[in-house]
Amino acid sequence: AQKVTQAQTEISVVEKEDVTLDCVYETRDTTYYLFWYKQPPSGELVFLIRRNSFDEQNEISGRYSWNFQKSTSSFNFTITASQVVDSAVYFCALSEGSYGQNFVFGPGTRLSVLP
Amino acid sequence: DSGVTQTPKHLITATGQRVTLRCSPRSGDLSVYWYQQSLDQGLQFLIQYYNGEERAKGNILERFSAQQFPDLHSELNLSSLELGDSALYFCASSVAASAGGNEQFFGPGTRLTVL
């Protein structure tokens, strides 16, 4: 069965620090998708990125970047120059199966960015 | 605003009762997904519908059922409620059939409290 581990339960940083959130996944499928979602204090879930298993290129979007390494089954998320608005719970998720029907979330990492 | 609407926002009921949660997807989206977020279980995928048909099933209890109507809105029915069913229930929608293949847009959630 697939599994997603986010070993960091809570992280606190001071504004402008860089922070990396770890995500390690387990799957037996060769085709799968990885996601990151953000859940700010207001409670809604916000999609950040989707990656398929055949695309190991790292991605950068503004202050956000993602590092996908199949060799270590990791899909880590880095926020550069963190801001207070980045404070949220971040979830890594894995989807596998022909239609991506087996969808599992990690337990989440609570990030607190202090002013 | 994701464009996905959920009603009601809050629901308080008693054990043994039955409730219905409603979700309207973004205009043009054919897929609807239901998720449960609780302190004990974290975020769990329950079920997906695509254009009126059940597409994928996750950790959905037999006491729970869902359907998607011709106008594409979806309802999640929870019956014989137990204290442990208290949770935040999210609905999400996407354009395509594959849960893994595309971005999902989440509604604000329905907070269910079972007393």
Side-chain angles (χ1 to χ4, degrees):
Chain A
Q2 78 274 38
K3 186 179 173 182
V4 176
T5 302
Q6 295 178 255
Q8 305 146 309
T9 306
E10 293 192 36
I11 301 176
S12 285
V13 299
V14 176
E15 210 171 13
K16 297 185 183 174
E17 284 185 9
D18 299 347
V19 58
T20 296
L21 310 183
D22 297 334
C23 173
V24 173
Y25 62 92
E26 291 178 30
T27 178
R28 292 184 178 181
D29 276 14
T30 54
T31 302
Y32 53 90
Y33 301 87
L34 295 163
F35 303 79
W36 276 95
Y37 286 89
K38 173 182 179 180
Q39 188 173 36
S42 52
E44 75 273 21
L45 277 165
V46 179
F47 167 88
L48 295 177
I49 190 172
R50 172 179 61 86
R51 255 294 175 263
N52 73 54
S53 51
F54 300 107
D55 182 2
E56 281 193 80
Q57 279 194 341
N58 292 331
E59 179 151 341
I60 299 175
S61 176
R63 297 184 295 106
Y64 295 169
S65 62
W66 291 268
N67 181 272
F68 177 25
Q69 292 198 341
K70 287 176 77 169
S71 60
T72 56
S73 297
S74 64
F75 186 43
N76 296 336
F77 172 33
T78 297
I79 302 174
T80 303
S82 60
Q83 299 176 2
V84 172
V85 293
D86 296 325
S87 297
V89 180
Y90 291 86
F91 293 94
C92 180
L94 166 68
S95 169
E96 58 178 19
S98 314
Y99 306 111
Q101 64 267 31
N102 300 322
F103 205 96
V104 63
F105 285 88
T109 296
R110 181 177 299 277
L111 173 66
S112 298
V113 181
L114 308 173
Chain B
D1 184 354
S2 66
V4 178
T5 60
Q6 289 187 249
T7 56
K9 283 189 177 179
H10 302 276
L11 198 48
I12 300 175
T13 188
T15 54
Q17 295 298 306
R18 172 189 167 96
V19 298
T20 297
L21 312 183
R22 183 187 169 105
C23 169
S24 293
R26 288 189 326 155
S27 177
D29 284 358
L30 298 178
S31 274
V32 170
Y33 311 79
W34 286 98
Y35 297 88
Q36 178 195 61
Q37 184 175 31
S38 65
L39 287 175
D40 291 343
Q41 304 289 332
L43 256 173
Q44 291 196 94
F45 166 65
L46 296 179
I47 197 164
Q48 178 202 356
Y49 278 81
Y50 175 75
N51 205 21
E53 300 289 326
E54 182 183 304
R55 185 76 169 181
K57 227 170 186 176
N59 297 323
I60 189 166
L61 299 172
E62 285 192 11
R63 300 183 285 109
F64 296 1
S65 65
Q67 55 184 327
Q68 186 179 28
F69 295 86
D71 67 352
L72 301 178
H73 91 271
S74 177
E75 292 180 358
L76 178 67
N77 301 296
L78 315 177
S79 62
S80 302
L81 285 168
E82 302 175 359
L83 295 178
D85 297 327
S86 296
L88 189 54
Y89 291 85
F90 286 105
C91 164
S93 73
S94 68
V95 171
S98 167
N102 61 120
E103 177 178 353
Q104 295 179 35
F105 295 86
F106 281 79
T110 292
R111 182 164 295 283
L112 173 66
T113 302
V114 182
L115 301 175

